[in-house]
Amino acid sequence: MSTGTGRGTGAGTAAIGSRRPTTWRNWAGTVASRPAREATPASVDELVAAIRGAREDGLKVKPVGTGHSFTAAAATDGLLVRPDLLTGIRNIDRAAGTVTVEAGTPLKRLNTALAREGLSLTNMGDIMEQTVSGAVSTGTHGTGRDSASIAAQITALELVTADGRVLTCSKDEHPDVFAAARVGLGALGVISAITFSVEPIFFLQAREEPMTFNQVTAEFDQLATENEHFEFYWFPTRATATPNATTAASARPLPRTRSAPS
Ligand SMILES: Cc1cc2nc3c(=O)[nH]c(=O)nc-3n(C[C@H](O)[C@H](O)[C@H](O)COP(=O)(O)OP(=O)(O)OC[C@H]3O[C@@H](n4cnc5c(N)ncnc54)[C@H](O)[C@@H]3O)c2cc1C
């Protein structure tokens, strides 16, 4: 996120939560950058102060999650905003079926908190190490016949923009910003909170079995129709070597079941 031309006063270096920069690396170790400054805000006010300080000094700003992106999406030579202290559940609204969570909250922590309340996100990707904001900002998704990506499950965002304003965005408030910032790659501002639509907790029953590639493709429409989640892995070299082997392809249908109401 570009904060505009700064005056170079150096005032931002004293922003709350700032610390001496170190080399940042993504989770895979394939991307490294050396930010000019780092901030680990513990509140929206501290986040605003850090962004305003960066603006005064002409620094670009990039928020980072847990660095699970394989690309340089979170790399910066400006101000790196770390998520570690902006975590936790802000509010659970049972009537509305929503939960509002601080942007740096890891998905695994959100899932644990929701499960305790008998609630759940509708869909997930393969892992839950990411922050909610990182997962939303890149369109992280799993499989799903009727359920969509994590970004599709949000109903509102709180966003701190380059000039330090705090915007609440939803389909009713700043709808254009909401639409763009849903998968904003950290380029439109720093998300400080996200409201997710949630549902009563449910269970998924997984069935994993080897099938030939020909069988998977022949039955694909039926498998995708019958299962809420369906995916398969195909190893072409093995198929070429042993085309009839059952290990040539494996299908993993995951029929969705809900717990019986008590
Ligand atoms: C082992 C592994 C498994 C994975 N599985 C899947 C999968 O099943 N499905 C899938 O789709 N992806 C998957 N991914 C990719 C991963 O979900 C995404 O890269 C996700 O963005 C990582 O989240 P993060 O918290 O690490 O964010 P980062 O990688 O740190 O950042 C990602 C982007 O989000 C932005 N961002 C972070 N915080 C904020 C904020 N507060 N405000 C605004 N922007 C912000 C950053 O600037 C950056 O552009 C996987 C990655 C790994 C390493």
Side-chain angles (χ1 to χ4, degrees):
M1 164 175 84
S2 172
T3 54
T5 309
R7 297 195 303 272
T9 61
T13 50
I16 304 163
S18 293
R19 69 179 187 194
R20 196 181 291 275
T22 53
T23 298
W24 173 84
R25 286 190 172 76
N26 69 341
W27 174 85
T30 52
V31 178
S33 68
R34 193 157 178 86
R37 185 181 303 165
E38 291 185 19
T40 311
S43 66
V44 177
D45 285 347
E46 289 188 11
L47 175 59
V48 168
I51 290 175
R52 289 201 169 135
R55 181 181 170 86
E56 285 173 14
D57 293 341
L59 294 176
K60 290 182 179 176
V61 176
K62 199 76 179 174
V64 67
T66 52
H68 274 65
S69 291
F70 296 101
T71 67
T76 183
D77 57 4
L79 168 68
L80 185 74
V81 178
R82 291 195 180 262
D84 311 66
L85 299 182
L86 213 52
T87 62
I89 308 290
R90 265 195 201 177
N91 180 44
I92 294 178
D93 184 337
R94 286 188 175 274
T98 59
V99 57
T100 301
V101 60
E102 305 288 348
T105 308
L107 278 168
K108 60 186 175 190
R109 197 169 150 197
L110 171 61
N111 286 344
T112 302
L114 287 177
R116 271 199 213 120
E117 300 288 332
L119 298 170
S120 172
L121 293 177
T122 301
N123 201 354
M124 285 282 301
D126 278 350
I127 62 166
M128 50 184 181
E129 300 301 311
Q130 312 95 312
T131 59
V132 292
S133 51
V136 164
S137 296
T138 57
T140 292
H141 59 88
T143 53
R145 184 192 53 208
D146 301 324
S147 50
S149 71
I150 296 178
Q153 298 170 47
I154 68 177
T155 60
L157 281 176
E158 185 182 85
L159 187 74
V160 182
T161 57
D163 56 3
R165 278 182 305 150
V166 182
L167 285 188
T168 302
C169 317
S170 66
K171 67 177 175 42
D172 302 317
E173 267 182 287
H174 306 292
D176 294 351
V177 180
F178 181 56
R182 262 177 197 272
V183 187
L185 294 169
L188 282 187
V190 180
I191 298 168
S192 46
I194 298 178
T195 301
F196 288 95
S197 191
V198 291
E199 57 179 283
I201 197 165
F202 55 89
F203 296 94
L204 291 170
Q205 191 180 57
R207 186 158 51 91
E208 210 164 312
E209 64 185 75
M211 294 169 76
T212 64
F213 182 67
N214 286 344
Q215 190 183 355
V216 173
T217 49
E219 296 176 15
F220 183 84
D221 287 345
Q222 186 189 347
L223 289 164
T225 302
E226 286 176 352
N227 296 287
E228 170 60 28
H229 300 273
F230 175 75
E231 64 183 357
F232 68 91
Y233 300 93
W234 176 41
F235 304 100
T237 48
R238 199 176 281 187
T240 307
T242 50
N244 294 321
T246 52
T247 50
S250 80
R252 196 169 74 163
L254 303 171
R256 187 179 212 198
T257 58
R258 286 173 189 277
S259 56
S262 53

